[in-house]
């Protein structure tokens, strides 16, 4: 599944953050977003996912093709792992969470409530939701936060499998995931000049680790 972005301008609230962003990601490929904290990686991903309207430019992708994983895990604390996956499978119209359970080694945790899990376990469950969406374009914001080395490797393997099936991914991360199919885009040149000139601190406090 292809994703194409042309002359995109992004804002957070009243402030323009990025301008002129242009790239494309072909089926079977990944794009790694780089840039300092506060440069606008989260804002770009939220715009791609349709959560924030663009100020200008064009995003070309098939309707309902993008799945977004944010900083927040987005889990229902009172539900078990199994119930959370079943809920998201029903939302996206898919039926079999087994591949997601296997990919993130969740079988031993199926009956545990999400609210009782560690930060790393919650992150694994959150990422497992990607596999039940059935959506071909993944937009991922620092997805390896809270993951240990073993589970970073599991995540990387899940992304590689997704790409091998013809999916694509845009990932904001500072970690080398060992994806031979990945290209890198430094978004620093796209930071809106009026923001960069007027704010010596950038947007780091508002956007956190983005």
């Amino acid at each position: 599944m292809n994703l194409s972005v042309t002359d995109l301008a992004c804002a957070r609230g009243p402030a323009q953050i990025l301008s002129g962003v242009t790239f494309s990601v072909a089926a079977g490929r990944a794009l790694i977003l780089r840039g300092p904290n506060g440069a606008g990686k989260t804002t770009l991903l939220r715009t791609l996912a349709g959560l924030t309207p663009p100020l200008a430019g064009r995003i070309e992708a098939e309707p309902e093709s993008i799945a977004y994983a944010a900083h927040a895990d987005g889990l229902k604390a009172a539900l078990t792992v199994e119930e959370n996956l079943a809920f998201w499978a029903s939302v996206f119209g898919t039926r079999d969470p087994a591949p997601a359970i296997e990919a993130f080694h969740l079988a031993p945790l199926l009956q545990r409530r999400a609210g009782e899990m560690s930060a790393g376990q919650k992150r694994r469950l959150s990422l497992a939701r990607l596999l039940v969406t059935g959506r071909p374009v993944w937009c991922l914001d620092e997805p390896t936060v809270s993951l240990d080395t073993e589970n970073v490797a599991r995540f990387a393997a899940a992304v590689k499998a997704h790409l091998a099936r013809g999916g694509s991914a845009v990932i904001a991360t500072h970690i080398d995931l060992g994806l031979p199919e990945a290209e890198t885009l430094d978004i620093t040149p796209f930071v809106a000049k009026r923001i960069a000139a007027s704010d010596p601190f950038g947007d780091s406090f508002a956007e956190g680790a983005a």
Side-chain angles (χ1 to χ4, degrees):
M1 174 62 65
N2 294 333
L3 170 66
S4 179
V5 173
T6 306
D7 291 330
L8 192 67
C10 305
R12 183 173 52 256
Q16 181 174 349
I17 305 301
L18 300 169
S19 64
V21 181
T22 299
F23 64 84
S24 62
V25 187
R29 309 289 293 183
L31 181 71
I32 305 299
L33 300 180
R34 303 288 194 195
N37 290 353
K41 298 187 292 297
T42 292
T43 298
L44 174 56
L45 289 168
R46 287 179 55 85
T47 304
L48 296 178
L51 300 177
T52 303
L55 295 178
R58 188 168 66 252
I59 302 170
E60 296 179 75
E62 291 294 326
E64 304 297 323
S65 64
I66 295 176
Y68 175 54
H71 288 158
D73 292 319
L75 305 174
K76 293 185 175 294
L79 298 185
T80 66
V81 169
E82 186 173 35
E83 290 167 339
N84 267 281
L85 288 176
F87 170 79
W88 287 107
S90 67
V91 167
F92 289 99
T94 56
R95 296 183 179 179
D96 184 12
I101 293 168
E102 180 178 1
F104 289 94
H105 191 53
L106 293 172
L109 302 172
L110 285 180
Q111 301 309 314
R112 185 172 300 181
R113 295 181 187 274
E116 300 169 352
M117 296 164 66
S118 71
Q121 291 169 338
K122 289 177 182 177
R123 175 56 54 162
R124 283 159 54 196
L125 175 55
S126 177
L127 294 172
R129 294 182 305 161
L130 293 166
L131 278 71
V132 303
T133 66
R135 295 191 172 185
V137 182
W138 292 357
C139 289
L140 312 177
D141 195 356
E142 298 293 348
T144 59
V145 170
S146 301
L147 294 183
D148 58 22
T149 302
E150 181 179 9
N151 285 298
V152 168
R154 285 196 174 101
F155 166 73
V159 174
K160 290 177 183 177
H162 176 66
L163 301 181
R165 293 190 297 267
S168 57
V170 181
I171 309 172
T173 181
H174 298 285
I175 293 179
D176 182 4
L177 296 172
L179 301 175
E181 306 87 350
E183 298 180 1
T184 300
L185 176 67
D186 185 348
I187 69 168
T188 305
F190 302 110
V191 174
K193 291 182 173 57
R194 67 180 183 85
I195 300 296
S198 65
D199 184 359
F201 296 102
D203 218 26
S204 55
F205 291 106
E207 189 155 284

